[in-house]
Amino acid sequence: MSKRTFRIWRGNAEGGDFQTYEQESSEGMVVLDVIHGIQAEQANDMAVRWNCKAGKCGSCSVEINGKPKLACMTRMNMYAEDEVITVQPMKAFPVIKDLVTDVSWNYEQNKRIKPLQPGKPEADGDYRMAQEDIDRNQEFRKCIECYLCQDVCHILRDHGKTDVFVGPRFMHRLADLAMHPLDTRDRVPEIVEEFGSGYCNITRCCTDVCPEHINITDNAIIPLKERVVDRYYDPIAMLGRKLFGGGKSSENTD
Amino acid sequence: MNSSTLIGGHKAGLNTTMRTDKWWIGPLLSLSILTGFLIYATWALIQGDHYWVADTGQGFGGYLSPFFSPVLLVDPSVPGAVPESHAWFGTFPSWWPSFIPASPAVLILMFPAMFRFTCYYYRKTYYRAFTGTPPGCSVGALPQKNYRGETRFLLVQNLHRYALYFAIIFVVILSYDAVQAFFRDGKFGVGVGSIILTLNAIFLACYTFGCHSFRHLIGGSTNKFSCSAARYTAWKGCTKLNEKHMNWAWTSLFWVAGSDVYVRLVSSGVITDYNTWG
Ligand code: SF4
Ligand code: SF4
Ligand code: FES
Ligand code: FES
């Protein structure tokens, strides 16, 4: 058991400030445990969102000493005994109260993405996929929708470009669909025009913060950018398509 | 640097952050190394000398600095230059403008430069280190009225695959140079320089074949790996290199500069190359 110093931002959309709390922390605790201790013993009205305490529901996203993190997966022993631990709500989303932000913008983005559209099933009415065709997609399915990647992305966080860029979480959802062996939609035009793939400058912060270690930049965004190049910026590929039709297999052909 | 406090206790403005770690070390290192490399490469290019080591210069073999390979045109009167017979198109023409150094590097360095400039990994590095977009993760980006990312004039980055095509040609040429480095006047042997130039070709190949564009072209563009085992195998191999693309990017950068330094020092007689030719 040792006393640790926490600075937690308390307030709402109108304004607020950091409050300092001294709270006991024992071995094996995570930041969320200490916040719960403060909530139970010192600040009953403090708002913090959480659910699973196992890094799987994506509710407890906050910023700890300036880094976007899951409070339930951030161990206290990462910090020196005498280190002040500062906890803030995510920067990219509007604050509701204290550590809780309104992430509903993300749900709106998700709705804009057209669902998977498979072609005709096989003769027995089933769809079949080869494992090697779906391996890439399975990485993206690990997403717990914590939106830490959205929070850290400077396009949303610093430049506030929520009107033109959908953010890394949905870039990888789009990549999942675009690479899907059964999907028949042509998604390339909307990936550029509606979802703003060109705004990402591949600076990789989304990948750095993802608690599920999804390699968003290398495995989703860059492959999408390359598909966009095939379609719009590669003169030889474009000429090839004009002369021979179809050509590259960026999209599903069946 | 303006810094005001926002809702949530966050700060606004370039380089502002609540991070307590030394986040600036990474970008500062990148900035210093890339600037140092640019200065050295430009200096070496302007010097245009001491880029070749051979006994008599006749016959197959010798060390050629990768900054100068391939030698398209040569001025054989320069100390440490290849003999005229080694240049693809002979000597620099008499009308060569005097304000452009008559250095073989002038004709070729823009290709590797374009390859690295448009590389997805280096883009990340210099967007962070040089343009502050953003300097670090959850560190305030350079405020811009209308951030455009890679949409407007940075659309040029989309031509990276064309730089890749040239880079592949360079890997072939530098591999040939590595083979040459094991011969002197047609006689086989091994020297420190042979090993340095061989590693140079290997590192460059690992960097080039781990390129994101290569990964796309070789297999990533398909949604049906199951239709082509060859593409799938190639894509998996490229992915292995791609996962370490950053390491290959730096290793090959250091090594190519180091190779030039080594050839330059041996060629100008500052150091001796240990080898079996005696
Ligand atoms: S790599 Fe792109 S999407 Fe990810 S944080 Fe950086 S700019 Fe945003
Ligand atoms: S991609 Fe990673 S960081 Fe982004 S929402 Fe999913 S789990 Fe969270
Ligand atoms: S509480 Fe579920 S991820 Fe932290
Ligand atoms: S992405 Fe780095 S060389 Fe192509």
Side-chain angles (χ1 to χ4, degrees):
Chain A
M1 275 291 202
S2 62
K3 273 234 188 292
R4 306 295 283 265
T5 310
F6 268 63
R7 278 175 77 226
I8 300 180
W9 192 84
R10 305 290 313 271
N12 55 29
E14 271 28 319
D17 219 337
F18 287 103
Q19 304 286 325
T20 305
Y21 303 93
E22 304 276 324
Q23 181 68 26
E24 294 287 347
S25 164
S26 55
E27 214 185 320
M29 275 195 172
V30 293
V31 168
L32 184 62
D33 292 322
V34 183
I35 293 176
H36 279 159
I38 295 170
Q39 195 185 40
E41 294 166 22
Q42 307 186 45
N44 301 150
D45 61 339
M46 184 166 70
V48 54
R49 184 155 48 209
W50 66 285
N51 201 314
C52 68
K53 264 188 78 179
K56 282 289 166 248
C57 72
S59 310
C60 63
S61 303
V62 289
E63 298 190 13
I64 306 172
N65 281 1
K67 289 190 182 178
K69 280 180 175 298
L70 294 179
C72 74
M73 297 304 281
T74 308
R75 304 186 75 88
M76 286 299 294
N77 63 12
M78 280 183 50
Y79 303 97
E81 289 269 326
D82 56 352
E83 196 172 344
V84 176
I85 297 176
T86 305
V87 190
Q88 296 165 268
M90 288 192 279
K91 183 183 178 190
F93 308 113
V95 170
I96 299 174
K97 183 171 173 346
D98 305 334
L99 299 177
V100 176
T101 51
D102 176 3
V103 294
S104 56
W105 176 79
N106 295 290
Y107 308 137
E108 298 307 317
Q109 303 319 301
N110 202 20
K111 284 187 212 151
R112 291 169 57 206
I113 298 175
K114 298 191 191 95
L116 182 96
Q117 189 177 68
K120 281 202 184 68
E122 289 174 29
D124 60 2
D126 271 344
Y127 290 100
R128 285 184 187 81
M129 297 177 278
Q131 183 59 44
E132 62 260 41
D133 292 338
I134 207 76
D135 275 341
R136 284 183 295 187
N137 306 62
Q138 281 173 339
E139 177 183 15
F140 309 135
R141 298 304 177 91
K142 293 191 298 183
C143 179
I144 59 170
E145 305 220 293
C146 62
Y147 301 128
L148 288 172
C149 56
Q150 304 283 82
D151 177 46
V152 82
C153 177
H154 70 115
I155 306 169
L156 308 173
R157 181 183 181 92
D158 295 328
H159 303 296
K161 289 276 178 187
T162 47
D163 52 339
V164 289
F165 184 55
V166 77
R169 190 273 169 261
F170 299 106
M171 277 286 131
H172 83 63
R173 168 139 200 254
L174 287 162
D176 181 5
L177 290 162
M179 291 175 188
H180 200 289
L182 295 182
D183 189 49
T184 54
R185 285 190 211 270
D186 174 16
R187 297 182 186 265
V188 174
E190 59 193 32
I191 283 169
V192 194
E193 284 149 27
E194 289 171 40
F195 300 117
S197 61
Y199 283 86
C200 166
N201 66 351
I202 52 166
T203 35
R204 293 184 67 104
C205 291
C206 50
T207 305
D208 286 357
V209 302
C210 177
E212 286 294 317
H213 307 292
I214 301 172
N215 201 336
I216 308 170
T217 319
D218 293 349
N219 290 345
I221 300 180
I222 293 175
L224 285 184
K225 280 182 175 257
E226 284 293 317
R227 288 177 184 224
V228 169
V229 175
D230 280 344
R231 182 71 61 88
Y232 297 110
Y233 302 111
D234 182 343
I236 295 179
M238 288 157 77
L239 188 72
R241 264 198 311 276
K242 276 237 160 63
L243 294 179
F244 309 112
K248 294 224 44 106
S249 50
S250 282
E251 307 94 42
N252 293 309
T253 40
D254 54 353
Chain B
M1 210 186 297
N2 85 331
S3 157
S4 54
T5 304
L6 310 172
I7 292 292
H10 299 284
K11 293 179 178 162
L14 179 65
N15 289 337
T16 55
T17 185
M18 297 294 280
R19 281 176 66 166
T20 50
D21 57 342
K22 299 189 175 58
W23 62 266
W24 41 266
I25 290 183
L28 192 67
L29 264 180
S30 317
L31 185 99
S32 321
I33 297 172
L34 290 177
T35 310
F37 180 84
L38 280 178
I39 293 174
Y40 176 74
T42 312
W43 176 83
L45 174 149
I46 294 171
Q47 298 307 301
D49 58 1
H50 294 302
Y51 54 86
W52 163 254
V53 176
D55 290 342
T56 62
Q58 302 309 315
F60 185 78
Y63 301 159
L64 176 59
S65 158
F67 278 3
F68 294 81
S69 180
V71 180
L72 301 179
L73 294 173
V74 69
D75 176 357
S77 65
V78 167
V82 297
E84 189 183 335
S85 58
H86 278 62
W88 291 18
F89 306 111
T91 55
F92 277 96
S94 53
W95 49 260
W96 188 260
S98 58
F99 60 90
I100 305 177
S103 158
V106 166
L107 304 168
I108 54 148
L109 269 189
M110 65 214 177
F111 293 105
M114 279 318 294
F115 186 48
R116 292 195 189 248
F117 183 81
T118 56
C119 162
Y120 285 96
Y121 169 71
Y122 281 110
R123 269 143 78 181
K124 169 215 153 175
T125 308
Y126 62 72
Y127 289 147
R128 282 198 192 185
F130 287 81
T131 63
T133 50
C137 301
S138 61
V139 176
L142 181 75
Q144 295 178 32
K145 267 218 192 70
N146 192 7
Y147 169 86
R148 301 300 304 244
E150 296 192 328
T151 56
R152 280 230 180 121
F153 90 102
L154 285 176
L155 275 174
V156 62
Q157 308 282 31
N158 288 324
L159 292 176
H160 179 57
R161 60 179 61 169
Y162 285 90
L164 165 72
Y165 303 147
F166 282 104
I168 294 173
I169 299 173
F170 274 79
V171 171
V172 174
I173 294 172
L174 293 175
S175 304
Y176 176 74
D177 290 348
V179 174
Q180 279 218 77
F182 286 94
F183 291 87
R184 198 60 68 80
D185 294 344
K187 210 172 107 215
F188 177 79
V190 181
V192 174
S194 333
I195 294 163
I196 290 181
L197 292 180
T198 304
L199 287 175
N200 180 59
I202 294 174
F203 293 156
L204 213 73
C206 290
Y207 171 59
T208 305
F209 295 118
C211 164
H212 287 278
S213 294
F214 188 72
R215 187 177 180 227
H216 170 79
L217 296 164
I218 203 75
S221 63
T222 184
N223 289 352
K224 297 261 168 71
F225 282 130
S226 51
C227 295
S228 166
R231 284 193 92 180
Y232 187 47
T233 310
W235 179 82
K236 278 197 294 190
C238 174
T239 299
K240 279 264 169 303
L241 290 173
N242 180 265
E243 282 162 359
K244 296 262 174 288
H245 195 53
M246 174 182 93
N247 302 14
W248 293 123
W250 289 117
T251 311
S252 61
L253 188 83
F254 276 114
W255 208 268
V256 76
S259 304
D260 180 75
V261 171
Y262 186 80
V263 172
R264 179 172 300 280
L265 293 179
V266 174
S267 173
S268 52
V270 178
I271 58 170
T272 315
D273 175 59
Y274 289 99
N275 60 48
T276 58
W277 293 290

